[in-house]
């Protein structure tokens, strides 16, 4: 046995490290997979070892294997073990592996919460850093919720290294847990002005990401960003800000106006191409946003276009690419300025670089006009022939179609030309876009009535040419056009010259090799064709010919009946029976044509794609209501076996849609006709302008057969679209001549006109070109009273939608980072505001600042106001933007403040006297109210702003607190405050609270609220305590232990304010009392006196505890571990309800409830030095017993004493 | 946002794969392969931007890459990043690698994938650019390396007397010692010497037990 152990350890000496593994893999090129599976077996063995170094090594190797594509999620638990190693070396390996393979579906990820929290609060900045980096890759909604508060604290870390990471990761947290955005935002905003450029850049980065998704919520930051833009020298930050402005300007055109000047300056001055480019981009965005209002920015457009031209002409391909990219943005609003550079764009079409060609293609879209469309498409077609890669060719194809079909075929003057372009495109091998061509063919044929005859002739040629059918197997994409061809020939069969030939073509045996959905269309349209032939023959009184056709059908249809495709089979057998029946009738010499063609009678109208969606729901119709009760689960299981067919159908579901529609349409068409016929009020439309097309020379010029053997793929008999170019030119020339003639006549008439006439001979404008065909482009049908909604474009699953949060609204009480309380307690806890020591502490700081700020503010009131009001800022010339927008976030930061704000308007109406009646219960609240009095004046001045917030405030705000308290309680809890009286005399009253933070294991912060109760002015306040060995007041550097710490404010009569003092502590297991003195000078009309107030500061053990949530599984583990010592107490004579008791203990002693069952609850808390404290509280008839377990027995017994004291008061 | 950072060589062998959005491993490999085929057929003197790797993202995403000797560095980014900025960032990243590895070559990336990751972590975090100042990046890397070294040497010191320690130490100690030695990464210590020494110890130990 022992030998085995030793042998095991010796084996491990040969454990491969990462380098060995890599070397090994490189040496086993032939049997790599086998070697790696062997290595994975070894790794599995290594992971079973207790030694963390071995485990870390194994995990490191796994990370490498993950890169090679091996799934390592099975080792997730081991990775967590390595993450929790105490050594940075291993921790970093663990986090790296986790960041590579953890994701939201990793089930063990919830075990990491506490470990990550511990690492975040680690004294070593690199432990924290590594945890932040890892977390940024695998943060889940749960982790985000639980850690948001910890990360938020880190945003104010002393080390910029941590700050910038914490700031960046907040974006991920927001994404996963959108509720955290509002509470964290003020601090994030603060970081925009962080002294460290890295942190600043990170904050800009995050806000830009946020604003990109929901720009309107960030408009109020514009002044701040404007200031940054004019002051920052960091190009990264500048680029981000400029990009952000690009997103903001569409929402606020005035902002754009303000930006133009600094941006143009930057464009002229900067040497960095990246910055120049982004500036140009944003100027373009500005111009776009302004385009409607102000047309006189041509100078800026010229500047942009000019700079872009320089970029495009640059030899650096990257700049060329970007230049084209930006050009395409200008194109949308200022096509004229871009069209001037057509030469450049066309030149880029010939570039060897595909990316550049693609960009140039984008530009072409906006450059076509009626005049040059044919020419440009010709050029593109030549590219299609040359293009080597299918992707580029496909891109060309879609672009050609886009260009031609844009704006309802605005630029197409000759649809024959367009149809022949489409037909030519069918020669493309292996394109994915056959369906696109097909859709275009259908669209044109349906909507341009005049072209139908021509289209039908082309389509029948397509059906006739075998190349499409023959190669349907390899060229799966292109055979889609047959779908369109078959349908067009069938639907408009009256235009067919040789219907019989087409019919035969459609019934060829080869057709059965086509995909099912195409065959189905074939079958359906064969009948249409058949119907029209029958009619023709019967009219021509050729019954034999008609019978021949029927015979042909009867002969050929069976091949479709045998089809494996359900749709084809069904249609074919149905039709076969029909045809057989017709045959019988024909044999009896009964005329059938009329009845058969009645099957397909009626006009087909195009329907807008969104028409269906926009049909208004009739009143009283509830679409969500069940018509029949939903089938039970068991029934649905019974249905499952049908799956055999379902699968088949699903595969073609997409392709079959149009078919279904078509049938549907036919049915509806019939129904409508019926209805219209029966409706006496229906006004029949005037005879359709269907036959209005003219015989243009183009039709006659269709070449007969032109077989060119060098291009084997050319469709025989197809007109080459190129010829249309010539035709078009001829036509236009004729037109011009004609026009000139007319003009001359005119001119002759008005000889006294202007002597200088414009040389209009060859500068025809778009309007001069008359279309070759009198086409009436049928507009798509919309249902009557369609709803004018375009919101259906929004994706409801957009993850960024959740972050669409109004950030200017004051923070409500309910919006807080939930980290410090446990989920289970959410509804049972009262006044949760103050049971969140960490939050509170953080939040008070800004308050102090705010105070200072307000003092400053008084001096520069006017200035400040300008910065505050976005409208005002935008309406003036750029100021140096003095501390703009700083004010508001800080108001938001004070959690209690918004409440006041909400109440304010009401209170002001009621008068100030009423204020005091409920303020006694909460000194904190009182203090802020007092403060308010002081600033009443200011408030009035700012009332404009407040009105806004007043409006936004829900009316229930005042009631928020009582509701929260009593919502689930039978008896409402009295309001609780963690502040207790420190000392009091006639001058001053001091209350205090102590808060610890998990981040600082030997520090607590004492917040002292000082309230001036006299009518004197209190100043020079200084607080001093007698340090003990264990507990010391943190004094400013350089002062001795006997010096006091000055209070950073003065107190006018009736005012209160809060000061914070930091104490360092060594041991926290015992409660402590420190004697101290507050000295101050009281000044009134009679003079000033020096006064003192002694106090005793009581550091209870409770004050070292920090409310920390704990999951029940972790809690159970902790209890089982056996590391904790145990003790218990029992208190009798308690009448309070368990609910309230629990709330009270949680609140005053900083516990969080882990689990609660009836009148029994387990609670957890943690000391700032990491002691776990677990409590089990049980309530009997009149007594309460508490069992406690804690890592330190002294701490536990002291804590229990304190708990007892609290309970005794109940 | 940066969606993914891929480094692979001229033959498409991945050297660093860092996705900032979850993809299953097979898909990751597929993306690497596809990206490789996209960039491979591009000359060195054409532009460094590529649209539409069909697997990552949609039309909003771009591939921005640079080709250094045998390696391709490919960043997949969305429209919130400045194209030229990212090109600069790739340069910063590569120069940082060069500084940290002293004349970096593909072999460094092959054998020290973990270290490359650690360097990358100081440049990009969770898909967002963390730091662009090379000196700052290098300073943080070096500080972390020092921290790691101090831990290893501390471990070595405390391991010295271990073989004599009464229980439990016997089996664990040699392994730890070996891994500690390995972690130092001293190339000048030939591996076989270690093995030779330890081999001799084996009979002794078994007798002792």
């Amino acid at each position: 046995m022992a030998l085995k152990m030793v042998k095991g350890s010796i084996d491990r000496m040969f454990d491969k490290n990462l380098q060995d593994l890599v070397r090994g893999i490189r040496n086993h090129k032939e049997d790599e997979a086998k070697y790696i599976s062997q290595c994975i077996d070894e790794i599995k063995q290594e992971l079973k070892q207790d030694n963390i170094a071995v485990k870390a090594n194994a995990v490191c190797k796994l990370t490498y294997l993950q890169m090679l594509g091996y799934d390592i999620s099975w080792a997730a638990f081991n990775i967590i073990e390595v993450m929790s190693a105490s050594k940075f070396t291993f921790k970093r390996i663990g986090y790296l592996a986790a960041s590579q393979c953890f994701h939201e579906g990793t089930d063990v990820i919830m075990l990491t919460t506490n470990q990550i929290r511990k690492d975040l609060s680690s004294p070593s900045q690199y432990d924290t850093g590594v945890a932040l980096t890892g977390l940024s890759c695998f943060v889940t909604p749960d982790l985000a919720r639980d850690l948001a508060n910890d990360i938020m604290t880190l945003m104010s870390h002393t080390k910029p290294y941590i700050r910038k990471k914490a700031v960046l990761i907040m974006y991920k947290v927001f994404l996963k847990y959108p509720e955290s955005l509002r509470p964290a935002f003020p601090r994030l905003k603060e970081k925009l002005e962080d002294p460290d450029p890295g942190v600043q850049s990170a904050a800009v980065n995050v806000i830009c990401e946020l604003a990109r998704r929901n720009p309107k919520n960030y408009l109020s930051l514009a002044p701040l960003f404007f200031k940054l833009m004019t002051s920052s020298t960091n190009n990264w930050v500048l680029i981000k800000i400029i990009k952000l402005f690009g997103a903001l300007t569409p929402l606020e055109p005035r902002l754009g106006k303000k930006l133009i000047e600094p941006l143009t300056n930057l464009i002229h001055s900067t040497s960095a191409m990246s910055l120049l480019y982004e500036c140009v981009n944003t100027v373009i965005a500005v111009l776009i946003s302004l385009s409607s209002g102000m047309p006189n920015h041509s100078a800026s457009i010229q500047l942009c276009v000019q700079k872009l031209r320089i970029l495009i002409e640059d030899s650096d391909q990257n700049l060329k690419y970007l230049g084209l990219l930006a050009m395409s943005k200008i194109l949308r609003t200022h096509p004229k300025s871009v069209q001037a550079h057509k030469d450049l764009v066309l030149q880029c079409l010939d570039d060897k670089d595909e990316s550049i060609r693609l960009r140039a293609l984008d530009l072409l879209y906006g450059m076509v006009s009626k005049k040059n469309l044919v020419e440009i498409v010709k050029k593109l077609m030549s590219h299609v022939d040359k293009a080597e890669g299918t992707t580029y060719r496909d891109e060309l194809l879609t672009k050609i179609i886009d260009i031609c079909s844009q704006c309802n075929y605005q630029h197409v003057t000759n649809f024959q030309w367009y149809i022949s372009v489409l037909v030519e495109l069918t020669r493309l091998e292996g394109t994915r876009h056959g369906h696109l061509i097909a859709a275009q063919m259908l669209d044109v044929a349906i909507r341009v009535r005049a072209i139908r005859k021509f289209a039908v002739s082309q389509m029948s040629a397509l059906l006739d040419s075998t190349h499409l059918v023959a190669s349907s197997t390899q060229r799966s994409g292109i055979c889609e056009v047959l779908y369109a061809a078959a349908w067009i020939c069938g639907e408009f069969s009256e235009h067919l010259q040789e219907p019989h030939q087409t019919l035969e073509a459609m019934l060829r045996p080869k057709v059965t090799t086509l995909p099912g959905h195409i065959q189905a269309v074939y079958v359906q349209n064969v009948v249409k064709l058949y119907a029209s032939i029958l009619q023709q023959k019967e009219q021509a009184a050729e019954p034999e010919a008609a019978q021949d056709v029927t015979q042909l059908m009867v002969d050929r249809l069976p091949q479709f009946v045998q089809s494996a495709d359900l749709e084809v089979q069904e249609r074919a057998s149905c039709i076969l029976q029909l045809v057989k029946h017709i045959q019988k009738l024909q044999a009896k010499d009964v005329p059938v044509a009329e009845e058969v063609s009645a099957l397909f009678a009626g006009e087909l109208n195009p329907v807008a794609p969104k028409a269906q969606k926009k049909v208004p729901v009739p009143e009283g119709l509830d679409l969500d209501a069940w018509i029949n009760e939903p089938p039970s689960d068991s029934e649905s299981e019974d249905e499952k076996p049908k799956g055999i067919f379902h699968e088949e159908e699903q595969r073609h579901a997409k392709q079959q849609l149009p078919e279904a529609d078509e049938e549907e349409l036919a049915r509806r068409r019939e129904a409508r006709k019926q209805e219209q016929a029966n409706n006496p009020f229906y006004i029949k439309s005037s005879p359709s302008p269907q036959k209005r097309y003219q015989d243009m020379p183009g039709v006659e010029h269709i070449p007969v057969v032109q077989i060119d053997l060098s291009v084997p793929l050319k469709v025989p008999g197809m007109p080459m679209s190129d010829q249309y170019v010539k035709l078009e030119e001829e036509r236009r020339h004729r037109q011009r001549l004609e026009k000139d003639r007319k003009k001359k006549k005119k001119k002759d008439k008005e000889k006294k006109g202007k002597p200088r006439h414009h040389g209009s001979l060859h500068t025809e404008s778009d309007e001069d070109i008359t279309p070759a065909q009198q086409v009436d482009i049928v507009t798509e049908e919309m249902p009557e009273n369609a709803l004018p909604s375009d919101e259906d474009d929004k994706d409801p699953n957009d993850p960024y939608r959740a972050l669409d949060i109004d950030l200017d609204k004051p923070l409500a009480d309910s919006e807080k980072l939930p980290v410090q309380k446990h989920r289970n307690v959410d509804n049972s806890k009262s006044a949760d505001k103050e049971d969140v020591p960490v939050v509170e502490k953080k939040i008070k700081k800004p308050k102090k600042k705010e105070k200072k700020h307000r003092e400053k503010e008084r001096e520069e009131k006017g200035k400040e106001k300008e910065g505050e009001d976005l409208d005002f800022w935008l309406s003036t010339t750029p100021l140096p933007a003095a501390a703009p927008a700083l004010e508001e976030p800080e108001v938001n930061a004070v959690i209690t403040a918004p409440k006041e704000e909400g109440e304010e308007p009401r209170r002001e109406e009621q008068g100030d006297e009423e204020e005091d009646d409920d303020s006694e219960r909460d000194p904190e609240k009182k203090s802020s109210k007092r403060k308010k009095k002081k600033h009443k004046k200011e408030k009035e001045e700012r009332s404009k702003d407040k009105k806004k917030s007043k409006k936004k405030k829900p009316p229930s705000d005042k009631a928020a607190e009582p509701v929260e308290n009593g919502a689930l309680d039978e008896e409402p809890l009295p309001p609780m405050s963690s502040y207790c009286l420190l000392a009091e005399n006639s001058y001053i009253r001091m209350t205090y609270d102590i808060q610890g933070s998990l981040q600082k294991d030997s520090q607590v912060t004492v917040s002292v609220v000082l309230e001036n109760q006299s009518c004197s002015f209190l100043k020079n306040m200084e607080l001093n305590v007698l340090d003990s060995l264990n507990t010391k007041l943190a004094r400013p550097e350089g002062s001795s232990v006997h010096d006091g710490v000055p209070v950073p404010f003065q107190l006018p009569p009736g005012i209160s304010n809060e000061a914070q003092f930091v104490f360092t502590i060594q041991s926290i297991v015992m409660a402590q009392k420190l004697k101290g003195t507050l000295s101050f000078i009281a000044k009134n009309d009679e003079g000033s006196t020096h006064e003192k107030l002694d106090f005793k500061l009581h550091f209870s053990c409770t004050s070292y505890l920090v409310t920390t949530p704990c999951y029940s599984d972790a809690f159970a583990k902790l209890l089982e571990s056996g590391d904790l010592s145990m003790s218990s107490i029992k208190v009798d004579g308690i009448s309070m309800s368990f609910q309230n008791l629990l709330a009270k203990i949680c609140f005053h002693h900083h516990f969080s409830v882990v689990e609660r069952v009836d009148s029994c609850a387990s609670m957890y808390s943690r000391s700032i030095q990491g002691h776990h404290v677990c409590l089990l509280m049980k309530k009997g008839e009149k007594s309460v017993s508490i069992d406690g377990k804690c890592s330190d027995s002294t701490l536990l017994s002291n804590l229990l004493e304190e708990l007892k004291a609290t309970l005794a008061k109940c | 946002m940066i969606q993914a950072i891929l480094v692979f060589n001229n033959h498409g062998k991945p050297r660093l794969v860092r996705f900032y959005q979850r993809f299953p491993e097979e898909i990751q490999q597929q993306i690497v392969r596809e990206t490789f085929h996209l960039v491979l057929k591009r000359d060195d003197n054409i532009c460094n931007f590529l649209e539409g790797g069909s697997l990552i993202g949609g039309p909003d995403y771009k591939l921005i890459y640079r080709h250094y000797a045998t390696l391709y560095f490919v960043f997949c980014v969305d429209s919130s990043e400045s194209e030229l900025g990212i090109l600069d960032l790739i340069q910063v990243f590569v120069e940082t690698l060069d500084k940290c590895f002293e004349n970096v070559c593909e072999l460094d990336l092959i054998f020290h994938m973990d270290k490359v990751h650690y360097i990358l972590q100081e440049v990009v975090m969770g898909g967002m650019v963390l730091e662009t100042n090379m000196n700052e990046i290098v300073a943080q890397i070096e500080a972390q390396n020092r921290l790691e070294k101090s831990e290893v040497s501390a471990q070595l010191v405390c391991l010295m007397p271990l073989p004599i320690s009464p229980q439990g130490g016997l089996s664990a100690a040699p392994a730890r010692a070996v891994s500690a030695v390995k972690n130092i990464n001293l190339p000048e210590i030939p591996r076989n010497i270690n093995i030779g020494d330890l081999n001799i110890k084996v009979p002794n130990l078994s007798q002792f037990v």
Side-chain angles (χ1 to χ4, degrees), chain A residues 718-730:
Chain A
M718 290 292 139
M720 293 295 294
S721 60
D722 287 2
Q723 280 159 342
Y724 284 93
V725 181
K726 228 184 247 170
L727 289 175
E728 188 69 16
E729 265 164 24
E730 277 169 27

Side-chain angles (χ1 to χ4, degrees), chain A residues 540-735:
Chain A
E542 300 175 43
E544 295 82 30
Q547 279 177 7
D548 286 352
V549 178
T550 315
Q551 188 55 44
L552 180 72
M553 292 285 278
V554 174
D555 290 345
R556 298 286 178 81
L557 274 175
Q559 64 185 346
F560 294 109
V561 177
Q562 291 159 6
S563 169
D565 191 280
L566 195 64
E567 189 74 28
V568 180
Q569 198 186 59
E570 194 180 4
R571 287 187 189 193
S573 41
C574 194
I575 287 164
L576 184 60
Q577 290 314 311
L578 180 75
V579 175
K580 279 181 178 161
H581 185 67
I582 293 173
Q583 200 173 23
K584 275 183 208 159
L585 290 176
Q586 275 179 335
K588 292 177 204 159
D589 271 345
V590 182
V592 283
E594 206 61 43
E595 280 155 59
V596 176
S597 36
L599 282 176
F600 306 103
E603 173 83 3
L604 191 72
N605 288 326
V607 175
K610 282 177 188 166
Q612 180 78 51
K613 240 193 252 176
K614 298 199 173 181
V615 178
V617 180
E619 258 178 72
L621 175 65
D622 181 6
L623 288 175
D624 293 329
W626 289 106
I627 297 171
N628 296 310
E629 278 307 301
S632 67
D633 287 351
S634 57
E635 270 178 88
S636 68
E637 267 175 21
D638 292 344
E639 283 167 12
K640 265 189 184 163
K642 284 184 189 167
I644 313 160
F645 294 107
H646 276 282
E647 212 180 66
E648 188 75 14
E649 264 173 318
Q650 264 163 8
R651 212 187 307 150
H652 296 298
K654 220 179 178 179
Q655 297 155 328
Q656 279 179 1
L657 264 177
E659 261 171 74
D661 277 354
E662 179 200 324
E663 280 187 326
E664 173 86 349
L665 273 176
R667 226 180 319 118
R668 268 194 247 160
R669 204 161 52 202
E670 278 306 304
R672 197 169 51 230
K673 263 202 127 181
Q674 278 287 312
E675 198 190 25
Q676 284 170 3
N678 297 336
N679 188 349
F681 301 110
Y682 183 79
I683 301 167
K684 308 257 183 332
S685 61
S686 52
S688 74
Q690 199 167 352
K691 309 280 185 222
R692 224 202 288 160
Y693 64 84
Q694 306 159 347
D695 272 35
M696 285 307 296
V699 186
E700 284 138 41
H701 280 256
I702 298 171
V704 196
V705 185
Q706 189 191 48
I707 300 171
D708 183 353
L709 288 172
S710 66
V711 190
L713 279 173
K714 191 169 285 175
V715 185
M718 290 292 139
M720 293 295 294
S721 60
D722 287 2
Q723 280 159 342
Y724 284 93
V725 181
K726 228 184 247 170
L727 289 175
E728 188 69 16
E729 265 164 24
E730 277 169 27
R731 190 175 68 84
R732 282 186 199 174
H733 186 67
R734 272 202 308 280
Q735 271 178 7

